[in-house]
Amino acid sequence: MRTVTVVGASLAGLYAARALRSQGFDGRLVIVGDECHRPYDRPPLSKDFLRGTTGQDGLALADAEEVAELDAEWLLGTRAAALDAGGRSVTLENGRSLATDGVVIATGATPRRLPGPELAGVHTLRSLDDAQALRDDLAGGPVRVVVIGGGFIGAEVASSCAALGHDVTVVEAAPLPLLPQLGEEMAGVCAKLHGDHGVTLVTGTGVAALRGESGGRVTGVELADGRVLPADTVVVGIGVRPNTDWLAGSGLPLDDGVVCDAGCVTALPHVVAVGDVARVDGSRTEHWTSATEQAATAVHNLLAGETLLAHRTVPYFWSDQYGVRIQFAGRRLPTDTVRVLDGSPEDRSFLATYERDGRTTAVLALNRPRPFMKARRELMRSAQPVAS
């Protein structure tokens, strides 16, 4: 390969670029990104950046020296509009066509939005610009914030807003936030963090509509059960959808992401996908660790022209809420039994395992980072990438 184009200039795209150079690719490297910013770290957006304790410079994932060493052609502030997989070219929204021998798809995902008119004060949080807009909106003093969705982003935003002195309410349609991920008992433990810090948690009801005049500012959130929550600022955290629209007509199979084999390789060996947009071996994982780990495997197979390496790992995520670090690794089923090994849920500091048929399937920790990492390593021993 003489030219490889990485479409997506965020975490997964940067790691793919690094892997290309570290694995010996010395040809032309093109990195296309729809944002004007070079790759930056997203997890702090809902935490340190939103609270104002970290600035934009503190988010950078690559310094000037590394950018120079990558020796890449950066095309930022422009979207990819189409992929001619057979003809090996990427068309940009400005009409420019990039001839390429290999493609890494790392276009990530876009936040889902609520239907209805555009209202000022309604935010999603995915990009640096999103976070800056929300931070600016909160800067005028204490306001009533309603966070729709009690998942990781929603809970972290609620935590940050509470720390800034705002009146915060979290609305979660499920009986408990994080119920599918953690199960009822442990989800209940994490849900109590909101109340511990003065945040109102409303569960078991969805959102019917946002109140406010079209073109004006949001004034409230109407719930499915008829209640109306007054709101000056609303943050919508109801999940994301993979950015695959630009791949329509490319011939690549799409199914809630770009369909890949276990080596992150698509139906065409010169096209691989990594990160939130990639559906690898039947599943799509929207976590920081997956985006970084998949890149080396995908690039190895891209340069080989076939799948020689499989990406096998244990799913892992973490979330920082109200001064508590929540860490989870593994694959749990609703029938798994949870057992606390160390610490106490009442103290919001413990290590717990999920067990099935006498073996550990997943591990959860609140503020127990060292024991957790040891338990995670044990889970990963049988799931490392293997050469074929």
Side-chain angles (χ1 to χ4, degrees):
M1 290 187 174
R2 291 176 294 179
T3 299
V4 173
T5 300
V6 178
V7 186
S10 191
L11 179 72
L14 174 63
Y15 271 73
R18 288 172 173 171
L20 282 161
R21 292 308 192 204
S22 67
Q23 294 185 30
F25 177 71
D26 59 2
R28 181 185 178 216
L29 174 58
V30 182
I31 303 175
V32 178
D34 61 349
E35 295 185 61
C36 295
H37 313 291
R38 293 199 188 275
Y40 58 87
D41 206 16
R42 295 185 191 274
L45 295 179
S46 57
K47 300 183 280 289
D48 294 342
F49 184 83
L50 187 57
R51 293 193 299 266
T53 57
T54 292
Q56 181 175 340
D57 291 344
L59 302 176
L61 288 170
D63 58 22
E65 182 179 356
E66 181 181 9
V67 169
E69 289 175 351
L70 284 175
D71 190 24
E73 180 181 346
W74 295 82
L75 303 179
L76 301 178
T78 183
R79 295 179 183 272
L83 172 66
D84 181 351
R88 299 187 185 231
S89 66
V90 175
T91 302
L92 306 182
E93 63 179 354
N94 61 12
R96 180 180 175 184
S97 181
L98 304 173
T100 189
D101 301 302
V103 176
V104 179
I105 299 172
T107 44
T110 298
R112 298 185 184 277
R113 301 177 182 273
L114 292 172
E118 292 282 337
L119 296 171
V122 178
H123 302 264
T124 57
L125 182 55
R126 177 73 179 183
S127 69
L128 175 57
D129 292 344
D130 291 340
Q132 185 63 61
L134 177 57
R135 193 164 85 167
D136 292 345
D137 207 10
L138 297 171
V143 297
R144 296 167 298 181
V145 179
V146 176
V147 179
I148 302 173
F152 304 115
I153 291 295
E156 291 173 0
V157 168
S159 171
S160 294
C161 289
L164 291 170
H166 301 292
D167 178 0
V168 185
T169 299
V170 176
V171 179
E172 170 57 50
L176 287 169
L178 305 178
L179 184 60
Q181 294 88 351
L182 305 182
E184 183 175 359
E185 182 179 353
M186 292 295 113
V189 172
C190 293
K192 291 178 181 177
L193 291 172
H194 295 291
D196 289 348
H197 294 82
V199 172
T200 301
L201 176 62
V202 178
T203 62
T205 185
V207 172
L210 299 180
R211 294 280 187 94
E213 294 186 8
S214 180
R217 188 172 184 89
V218 68
T219 59
V221 177
E222 181 182 346
L223 303 182
D225 61 14
R227 286 178 290 172
V228 177
L229 305 176
D232 304 301
T233 298
V234 172
V235 183
V236 180
I238 55 175
V240 299
R241 60 178 183 84
N243 288 326
T244 58
D245 291 349
W246 70 284
L247 295 169
S250 67
L252 293 179
L254 305 174
D255 179 13
D256 185 37
V258 180
V259 177
C260 306
D261 64 15
C264 305
V265 180
T266 71
L268 298 172
H270 62 281
V271 181
V272 298
V274 293
D276 292 358
V277 75
R279 188 173 182 83
V280 179
D281 201 23
S283 64
R284 191 170 62 82
T285 307
E286 300 168 3
H287 298 299
W288 193 95
T289 307
S290 299
T292 61
E293 290 179 344
Q294 289 170 355
T297 300
V299 164
H300 180 94
N301 295 327
L302 176 67
L303 297 178
E306 59 180 320
T307 301
L308 297 179
L309 199 66
H311 176 72
R312 304 195 188 283
T313 190
V314 173
Y316 166 62
F317 65 78
W318 80 92
S319 179
D320 294 316
Q321 305 171 19
Y322 306 104
V324 175
R325 168 151 288 198
I326 303 170
Q327 294 172 286
F328 180 91
R331 297 179 176 89
R332 66 165 288 274
L333 293 177
T335 54
D336 290 355
T337 300
V338 63
R339 183 162 61 100
V340 176
L341 301 182
D342 181 33
S344 167
E346 289 73 23
D347 295 334
R348 312 294 189 257
S349 179
F350 65 92
L351 175 72
T353 58
Y354 295 82
E355 299 174 356
R356 185 189 321 148
D357 298 328
R359 64 184 183 88
T360 299
T361 58
V363 184
L364 169 69
L366 269 63
N367 280 346
R368 281 287 201 273
R370 288 188 177 181
F372 173 84
M373 295 311 293
K374 179 181 178 181
R376 181 190 172 208
R377 286 193 296 270
E378 292 175 357
L379 280 177
M380 292 178 64
R381 283 175 184 167
S382 60
Q384 295 301 314
V386 293
S388 62

